[in-house]
Amino acid sequence: MGQLCYCKLREATRVEVSMRVGVHTGNVLCGVIGLQKWQYDVWSHDVTLANHMESGGLPGRVHITEETLKHLNGEYQVEEGDGGSRLPGQEDLPGD
């Protein structure tokens, strides 16, 4: 399904789309901040971990943590990754 969406977007815009996605399952604190211009934001270690999954990921892939993998219950085809090699120093993040 995701690959189909990419293809349709590429055809419609004639732009090469190459996104990275990072997903982690956990807790967040969220709220609206600002006095003049409101902005919705989320914070937590789990949000930071998802951000690291995205930023260290390969274009065109969805990167998930072990915690998220547990919740998929084998319903999706996944492949092993090597994200730790792309994020030096991040392999020690707690929560994995």
Side-chain angles (χ1 to χ4, degrees):
M1 173 116 164
Q3 189 65 28
L4 179 61
C5 292
Y6 275 135
C7 291
K8 287 183 178 182
L9 184 61
R10 287 179 184 147
E11 289 172 10
T13 63
R14 300 185 199 273
V15 174
E16 185 69 24
V17 176
S18 190
M19 296 186 331
R20 300 180 312 233
V21 177
V23 180
H24 176 63
T25 303
N27 299 308
V28 298
L29 174 65
C30 56
V32 177
I33 58 175
L35 296 174
Q36 303 279 324
K37 181 180 178 186
W38 292 358
Q39 180 179 350
Y40 182 78
D41 204 356
V42 293
W43 310 268
S44 77
H45 166 74
D46 294 315
V47 172
T48 303
L49 187 51
N51 184 38
H52 285 300
M53 295 299 293
E54 179 274 327
S55 63
L58 299 173
R61 302 284 191 175
V62 176
H63 299 79
I64 63 172
T65 62
E66 289 287 331
E67 188 64 28
T68 298
L69 181 61
K70 292 177 195 175
H71 292 280
L72 297 179
N73 298 322
E75 294 183 31
Y76 294 88
Q77 181 180 358
V78 298
E79 59 187 51
E80 288 292 319
D82 190 22
S85 69
R86 291 187 300 276
L87 282 174
Q90 298 302 324
E91 35 307 301
D92 297 330
L93 280 174
D96 289 338

